[in-house]
Amino acid sequence: MSNRPVRVRFAPSPTGPLHIGGVRTALYNYLLARKLGGTMILRIEDTDQNRFVPGAEDYIRESLEWVGIELDESPWKGGPHAPYRQSERKPMYREYADQLIRDGYAYYAFDTPEELDAMRERLQAAKVPNPQYNSITRAQMRNSLTLPEDEVKQLLDSGAPYVIRLKVPRKEEVRFQDMIRGWVVVHSSAIDDKVLMKSDGMPTYHLANIVDDHLMDISHVIRGEEWLPSAPLHVLLYRYLGWEKTMPQFAHLPLLLKPDGTGKLSKRDGDRLGFPVFALEWHGTDAETGEPTVSRGYREEGYLPEALVNFLAFLGWNPGTAQEIFSMQELIEAFSIERVSKSPAKFDQNKVKWFNEHYLRAKSDAGLAPYLLGALAEHGLACDQAKAEQIVAVMKERVSFPQDFWQEARYFFEAPTSYDEQVVAKKWNPQVSAALAAYADALPDNSEPSANAEVLKALFTQTVEAQGMKPGQVLQALRVAATGAAAGPDLFETLAILGTGEVARRLRTAVERLG
Ligand code: GLU
């Protein structure tokens, strides 16, 4: 099917916030679609109404928008195969379940929950390792394969509750080629007779997913490894529905592991391990206590979407070169499924931070200034654009997140109220204090920035030497007196931005307070 138009889909279930693993799945689908000039579709798989979580769909939409994954067809945008929400497609699935029954590939099962429990208990007592409704156990159950035809008809006519199950063959090898894993072979005895249609007339994930992928003409199914065990069942469904020739190509992405590699990165891990596992903050409710919960999000913690995208792209894929920094456009050009690894990818929180620092520092001063200006406004402070740009320019090598600008640059707006104790203990003495007082006197006393860093430095050296000291003996004390902090960007740049009048005032205050 080499000439087949590329149509891929991301098919989340709105059962809660979208995990970053889901964002990665969406991203790989998107990269492939864009690379091959195909179509990116989003379908909401909401057939399991018990697990439906209000707000989850909007959250999925906002997450994808934030990272820059554009959808060509979706519930929100529409498209030629609308509707794109399975709950709205409910009437479309029944005929395929009926077709499977007619062709002998599926059957009605009338077992009550109690009867199913009894079966499980019987099998457990007989030490059957994995009790299932399957090609062997179905013979002892109440279904259209075991009951007489007239009884089946009568049950159906009387409206007795039933489900429709797939009739999985007892001894058959099911094989398919996965684009990442190569040939996957599973014996049908390992597959149970999955429910395709529930008693409320809703299809299950398996039936709805296959029917929709077929009707939406999906060419590639790219999804997480957790769906690999379902794939043989899906292959059987394609075959039994007569759609095997147009079956999509499968690509099951590698698992995402916790940073220490001890297991799958789960939705709960973020809060436990100290980093977000969601693109956006999620406000939910604790399943047990019903209390409101807040889960951390990359966006709210100051990550740039470019950084998260670049990081996620590398969790399972690499370009085969040393290049690590890729814009979305560059990823589209470089991406290929062939370079997706089948080994699990370990989450690395330092790496995502490293990407963030890169993308933050790559921004222009004018692009960074709003971060500082926004924080200033929140604190009832103000400064002009030019000064904000000067500050972010000297600070940007020192910050990892936009909010750090305010944390790190606070002293530009507020005179220190305390002084780094270690520096004071080690570097402050009456001689140093006198040198700083002399420097304060030597500074031109106007409140606006009036001198550049070079001039201020030359004046400092001159003043300190005139006091019989070396600049190195006084430098750290100067920083502490002017900013309160032990470290920071270039000191004389800092003083130039503060302005000589302000620096002189701060030095005099420090001399007075520290003696
Ligand atoms: N609805 C499934 C999920 O929530 C989709 C799996 C698939 O892509 O087939 O992940």
Side-chain angles (χ1 to χ4, degrees):
M1 300 294 311
S2 54
N3 295 329
R4 183 176 190 181
V6 170
R7 291 178 55 82
V8 297
R9 87 304 192 266
F10 177 54
S13 300
T15 53
L18 181 64
H19 181 261
I20 47 166
V23 180
R24 183 195 61 172
T25 301
L27 176 66
Y28 284 17
N29 274 283
Y30 175 69
L31 295 177
L32 188 78
R34 287 292 176 268
K35 163 126 192 173
L36 301 179
T39 304
M40 170 75 182
I41 297 149
L42 183 130
R43 183 174 70 227
I44 292 286
E45 301 209 322
D46 56 351
T47 56
D48 190 349
Q49 312 220 296
N50 298 327
R51 296 182 62 215
F52 178 81
V53 172
E57 186 183 306
D58 287 341
Y59 178 92
I60 291 167
R61 179 180 184 174
E62 210 183 321
S63 301
L64 298 183
E65 275 172 7
W66 182 63
V67 296
I69 294 176
E70 302 155 335
L71 304 169
D72 302 314
E73 297 172 24
S74 70
W76 318 298
K77 193 172 180 186
H81 298 277
Y84 290 89
R85 255 180 226 106
Q86 288 185 328
S87 56
E88 293 166 17
R89 299 170 68 81
K90 184 177 168 189
M92 300 168 77
Y93 304 109
R94 177 76 212 197
E95 66 172 290
Y96 301 102
D98 289 342
Q99 179 191 328
L100 289 168
I101 292 194
R102 223 174 29 243
D103 295 344
Y105 295 122
Y107 58 92
Y108 301 106
F110 302 96
D111 316 273
T112 61
E114 294 74 30
E115 285 165 337
L116 291 170
D117 286 345
M119 170 188 82
R120 254 174 249 122
E121 279 162 28
R122 247 189 349 261
L123 293 173
Q124 264 153 5
K127 302 252 181 303
V128 173
N130 187 13
Q132 282 184 328
Y133 204 119
N134 59 21
S135 58
I136 298 174
T137 55
R138 70 165 85 107
Q140 279 114 51
M141 305 303 290
R142 291 179 62 239
N143 53 53
S144 56
L145 302 173
T146 58
L147 298 172
E149 213 173 306
D150 54 346
E151 192 178 338
V152 171
K153 186 170 179 319
Q154 189 235 317
L155 281 168
L156 291 176
D157 291 345
S158 69
Y162 65 85
V163 299
I164 297 177
R165 287 182 181 271
L166 185 68
K167 189 178 164 201
V168 176
R170 184 175 295 188
K171 289 185 193 163
E172 204 174 296
E173 269 192 352
V174 185
R175 30 169 65 229
F176 68 95
Q177 199 163 25
D178 185 279
M179 294 174 79
I180 297 170
R181 288 147 208 278
W183 281 104
V184 177
V185 183
V186 177
H187 199 268
S188 67
S189 59
I191 309 173
D192 60 331
D193 284 0
K194 283 272 180 311
V195 173
L196 301 177
M197 192 66 95
K198 292 177 274 189
S199 53
D200 61 1
M202 259 301 190
T204 57
Y205 154 72
H206 301 291
L207 179 67
N209 184 273
I210 275 25
V211 168
D212 284 344
D213 280 351
H214 173 74
L215 296 180
M216 295 182 179
D217 206 5
I218 298 301
S219 60
H220 300 76
V221 165
I222 304 167
R223 60 185 176 189
E225 178 170 308
E226 62 273 29
W227 298 102
L228 190 58
S230 299
L233 178 88
H234 296 172
V235 171
L236 285 179
L237 274 168
Y238 281 107
R239 187 175 305 160
Y240 296 160
L241 286 162
W243 300 336
E244 210 174 356
K245 281 211 181 73
T246 53
M247 183 168 88
Q249 282 188 273
F250 288 105
H252 288 92
L253 304 178
L255 282 182
L256 291 190
L257 300 183
K258 294 187 223 297
D260 63 3
T262 55
K264 206 176 136 180
L265 184 67
S266 81
K267 289 193 175 185
R268 284 174 307 277
D269 283 333
D271 294 326
R272 241 172 16 83
L273 299 172
F275 55 84
V277 291
F278 301 113
L280 317 179
E281 198 168 84
W282 168 257
H283 295 257
T285 16
D286 187 283
E288 274 153 33
T289 63
E291 294 288 314
T293 58
V294 182
S295 305
R296 302 162 59 175
Y298 280 90
R299 181 178 65 184
E300 288 70 15
E301 301 217 345
Y303 286 87
L304 301 176
E306 307 87 295
L308 186 62
V309 162
N310 201 153
F311 169 72
L312 289 178
F314 272 76
L315 279 185
W317 169 86
N318 72 75
T321 66
Q323 185 181 345
E324 287 195 278
I325 300 299
F326 283 82
S327 65
M328 187 70 100
Q329 195 49 43
E330 289 169 324
L331 285 172
I332 290 169
E333 280 154 30
F335 187 77
S336 75
I337 293 281
E338 287 70 38
R339 294 212 60 88
V340 175
S341 154
K342 54 173 175 265
S343 11
K346 257 193 250 167
F347 185 89
D348 179 350
Q349 64 203 93
N350 295 324
K351 194 75 195 188
V352 62
K353 193 168 156 205
W354 179 84
F355 276 116
N356 209 53
E357 287 164 357
H358 170 84
Y359 282 100
L360 202 58
R361 291 167 195 172
K363 280 188 184 281
S364 67
D365 297 340
L368 292 172
Y371 294 133
L372 179 61
L373 291 168
L376 284 175
E378 273 172 37
H379 290 86
L381 295 163
C383 94
D384 61 32
Q385 177 74 18
K387 183 168 174 184
E389 286 184 24
Q390 275 181 304
I391 295 174
V392 295
V394 294
M395 283 292 174
K396 68 175 153 192
E397 291 303 318
R398 312 185 58 81
V399 301
S400 304
F401 302 103
Q403 63 273 25
D404 296 347
F405 282 114
W406 163 244
Q407 296 300 339
E408 293 277 325
R410 229 185 145 113
Y411 54 68
F412 281 105
F413 305 94
E414 294 169 343
T417 48
S418 64
Y419 303 97
D420 184 273
E421 283 173 16
Q422 278 197 345
V423 175
V424 172
K426 276 200 209 142
K427 302 286 178 185
W428 200 275
N429 58 47
Q431 235 193 325
V432 163
S433 187
L436 289 178
Y439 187 44
D441 290 342
L443 287 168
D445 195 14
N446 46 28
S447 49
E448 290 307 311
S450 54
N452 68 28
E454 303 278 299
V455 174
L456 294 179
K457 188 173 185 179
L459 186 61
F460 177 71
T461 308
Q462 200 188 326
T463 316
V464 168
E465 284 175 355
Q467 300 277 314
M469 299 182 79
K470 293 202 187 83
Q473 292 173 279
V474 192
L475 261 180
Q476 268 194 292
L478 171 62
R479 182 185 291 281
V480 149
T483 69
D490 183 273
L491 179 55
F492 293 98
E493 295 276 6
T494 304
L495 300 187
I497 297 171
L498 276 170
T500 49
E502 178 65 14
V503 173
R505 262 193 301 283
R506 290 185 182 191
L507 295 186
R508 289 191 185 108
T509 309
V511 165
E512 208 176 288
R513 287 204 202 151
L514 299 171

